[in-house]
Amino acid sequence: MRVSIILRYVGTVMLCVSAFMMVSAVISYMNNIDSGFYPLLLSALLTFTLGAFPMLFVPRATSISNKEGFSIVVGSWVLASVVGMFPYLIWGGEFSLINAWFESVSGFTATGATILNDIEQLPQGLLFYRTSSNWLGGVGVVMFALVILPSLGTSRMSLSNVELSSLAKDNYRYRTQVIVRILLVVYVGLTAVTTLALKAAGLRWFDALNHAMSACATAGFSTKNASIAFYDNVVVELILAGAMLISSIHFGLIYATFLRKSNNIFRSEVVRTYITIVILSTLFVATSLFGANIFPTVWESLRHSFFQVVSLITTTGFATADTNLWTPFAIVILIFVSIVCACAGSTTGGMKIDRVLIFCKILMARIRRQQHPNAVIRIRVDGIAQDADLLNSVVVFIVAYIGLIFMATLTNTLFGQDLMTAFSSAVACIGNVGPGFGEVGSMGNFANIPAILKLQDSLLMLMGRLEIFGFIQLFFLKWWR
């Protein structure tokens, strides 16, 4: 494995991060050189230097191996999170070393969990940088680099094959070079439309852009302490819910739908299953809330139920209410959607509804084999037979996912967290959801979590974003031979 080549291509990602830091510094400058200007400017220059240095001394490779591709992807996420700490550490405030690391990882993994007690005290430049880390991480720091940095040349195919899971690739029926452009076109277009819609709904340009970027990244960083509840505006909630829902669907299907191709949203079994879960969960939660007099009318119950279900199943984490005050039944439904989450090939994290659907089909196939031992049963999704390797990977992933939640919950309780906080924070971090329940509820944060647990949670975020095995395998010595 050529470490120098890995450093060169990780350096290209550092240049992307430095560019967003510089844009944030410009926003600080335009805001009368607020207190975020010098931290952002210095961080941008330092990150640019770190990214440019290996590119100056390491020649471009015509091809990269699969191991090198994995190392570049994982290294990019980790180092982006490391350099992402610079503006926070230099600015100070609530950002200790572990808090800066947690906030940076949460941003680049599009998790949206925060350690800030007072978000609104941050200067505008730093607020925008915080949101831009969400936006850059939502589509993937490596995928973004694949589009805007042509110097990667023929190595694009190797890197995009690593960045996209096998589930995500199934609905991309294009060449690899076209796939990465589809991602960015849909992503930028949706962000622009959402920004304009939020502005028309009455938000300031700055708040509209920040919330649009966060919604389309299904990340959840807000510029307000009370999140979306600050606005108490039904139109704003509907716009954001629409943006979150669209962003949680496979981008290849969205692109194909606009081109009126056959493999579109309306014919996708995965999307139909996903929307059905959203509708049923909304109705169940709303019925529970209205029955318990949490909200006085059916409309208010449906309004808040729909937004929170969409926010959590899309792994965004925006909030319009304190869900800790909701009924146990409603909380169980919300935890369920936080585990299942949305579609592969989108900006969401979590287990993915694709895997859940395939896993259910595997269970049904097992039952039928018990009844008909000699039958040949093929598992199909959208009429396409799924190969044995993919079916095996689905089962292994789900087992590993649940196992990590259990182990993290055990560790959390060991360090004094109550069971609800311990379990829901583990679910929220590995699923890149953001808020959980208990101490880390929709109107709470991770500020008072012990430092050791913040470190664990940040590692869960990285594992969730890299779909567990891409991150873990780098720690096995045989991998490097």
Side-chain angles (χ1 to χ4, degrees):
M1 189 183 301
R2 298 167 295 176
V3 177
S4 59
I5 297 300
I6 295 170
L7 292 176
R8 175 185 171 85
Y9 290 119
V10 170
T12 62
V13 175
M14 297 302 100
L15 296 182
C16 288
V17 175
S18 70
F20 277 89
M21 289 177 177
M22 187 59 72
V23 171
S24 303
V26 170
I27 291 175
S28 285
Y29 182 83
M30 295 173 63
N31 191 42
N32 298 319
I33 311 182
D34 63 33
S35 61
F37 175 71
Y38 290 108
L40 287 164
L41 180 62
L42 182 60
S43 299
L45 295 175
L46 181 57
T47 303
F48 178 84
T49 302
L50 292 173
F53 186 79
M55 296 187 69
L56 293 174
F57 297 99
V58 179
R60 186 177 67 181
T62 56
S63 64
I64 58 175
S65 68
N66 192 48
K67 285 185 179 181
E68 289 166 347
F70 269 105
S71 300
I72 290 168
V73 170
V74 178
S76 296
W77 285 101
V78 174
L79 288 181
S81 298
V82 171
V83 300
M85 298 166 59
F86 294 165
Y88 300 137
L89 287 173
I90 298 171
W91 188 77
E94 295 183 69
F95 293 113
S96 62
L97 181 63
I98 187 63
N99 283 351
W101 166 252
F102 184 94
E103 198 79 6
S104 181
V105 172
S106 180
F108 283 107
T109 58
T111 302
T114 184
I115 52 82
L116 292 171
N117 289 304
D118 190 0
I119 297 168
E120 295 172 33
Q121 73 167 335
L122 266 63
Q124 282 199 358
L126 206 57
L127 280 173
F128 180 80
Y129 165 70
R130 185 170 171 264
T131 303
S132 66
S133 69
N134 266 181
W135 195 76
L136 183 57
V139 76
V141 289
V142 177
M143 293 303 292
F144 196 90
L146 289 172
V147 177
I148 68 172
L149 293 174
S151 64
L152 291 175
T154 56
S155 299
R156 290 183 178 189
M157 183 173 293
S158 298
L159 287 181
S160 62
N161 286 340
V162 175
E163 180 78 354
L164 288 170
S165 69
S166 56
L167 287 172
K169 294 172 194 171
D170 286 346
N171 285 312
Y172 281 122
R173 300 176 183 179
Y174 310 97
R175 292 176 301 149
T176 300
Q177 290 87 345
V178 178
I179 289 175
V180 292
R181 286 182 172 83
I182 289 173
L183 281 168
L184 198 62
V185 167
V186 174
Y187 198 47
V188 173
L190 183 58
T191 303
V193 170
T194 305
T195 301
L196 293 173
L198 290 173
K199 174 59 180 173
L203 270 63
R204 297 183 306 141
W205 276 115
F206 182 78
D207 288 338
L209 177 59
N210 275 269
H211 285 99
M213 291 171 68
S214 198
C216 295
T218 59
F221 275 164
S222 174
T223 57
K224 304 298 180 183
N225 291 327
S227 190
I228 309 306
F230 173 86
Y231 299 103
D232 192 21
N233 186 318
V234 177
V235 176
V236 169
E237 292 167 18
L238 289 175
I239 292 169
L240 289 173
M244 290 186 286
L245 273 175
I246 295 172
S247 299
S248 66
I249 295 173
H250 197 293
F251 278 22
L253 287 177
I254 296 172
Y255 184 80
T257 303
F258 277 108
L259 295 182
R260 298 182 179 179
K261 296 198 173 187
S262 58
N263 58 318
N264 56 51
I265 290 173
F266 305 104
R267 295 188 178 184
S268 170
E269 182 181 1
V270 172
V271 175
R272 289 198 301 270
T273 303
Y274 173 52
I275 297 301
T276 299
I277 290 176
V278 171
I279 293 172
L280 291 177
S281 298
T282 298
L283 293 176
F284 288 152
V285 172
T287 301
S288 178
L289 296 179
F290 181 68
N293 291 318
I294 302 294
F295 296 105
T297 65
V298 173
W299 160 245
E300 283 293 304
S301 299
L302 282 170
R303 169 190 171 184
H304 291 288
S305 170
F306 175 67
F307 189 89
Q308 292 307 140
V309 166
V310 170
S311 180
L312 293 183
I313 200 169
T314 61
T315 72
T316 306
F318 282 145
T320 59
D322 186 354
T323 52
N324 277 333
L325 303 178
W326 289 11
T327 63
F329 178 81
I331 290 174
V332 169
I333 296 294
L334 292 179
I335 290 176
F336 167 74
V337 298
S338 297
I339 295 174
V340 172
C341 301
C343 307
S346 66
T347 59
T348 62
M351 190 180 289
K352 304 290 194 308
I353 191 65
D354 309 63
R355 289 191 178 93
V356 174
L357 176 62
I358 291 173
F359 185 74
C360 290
K361 286 176 178 279
I362 291 173
L363 290 179
M364 292 303 298
R366 180 60 184 170
I367 293 173
R368 281 183 287 181
R369 285 195 184 96
Q370 289 289 104
Q371 300 170 341
H372 308 284
N374 297 322
V376 177
I377 302 172
R378 295 188 179 275
I379 295 173
R380 299 177 183 272
V381 177
D382 290 328
I384 301 173
Q386 306 298 303
D387 60 63
D389 286 342
L390 186 142
L391 299 178
N392 181 63
S393 68
V394 165
V395 175
V396 171
F397 182 90
I398 290 177
V399 171
Y401 195 90
I402 294 174
L404 284 171
I405 290 175
F406 173 77
M407 287 189 290
T409 302
L410 194 64
T411 305
N412 289 341
T413 54
L414 179 64
F415 284 88
Q417 287 188 345
D418 64 271
L419 185 57
M420 178 59 77
T421 300
F423 176 70
S424 65
S425 64
V427 170
C429 289
I430 195 171
N432 304 126
V433 177
F437 295 91
E439 189 179 344
V440 296
S442 57
M443 293 299 167
N445 55 54
F446 286 72
N448 296 323
I449 301 298
I452 186 66
L453 296 185
K454 288 176 183 174
L455 179 60
Q456 173 190 261
D457 290 343
S458 62
L459 292 177
L460 285 175
M461 293 178 208
L462 285 168
M463 282 192 283
R465 195 63 185 169
L466 291 163
E467 303 213 321
I468 300 175
F469 298 104
F471 182 80
I472 290 178
Q473 64 188 347
L474 291 183
F475 296 94
F476 289 90
L477 293 177
K478 289 183 179 180
W479 172 261
W480 297 96
R481 295 176 184 174

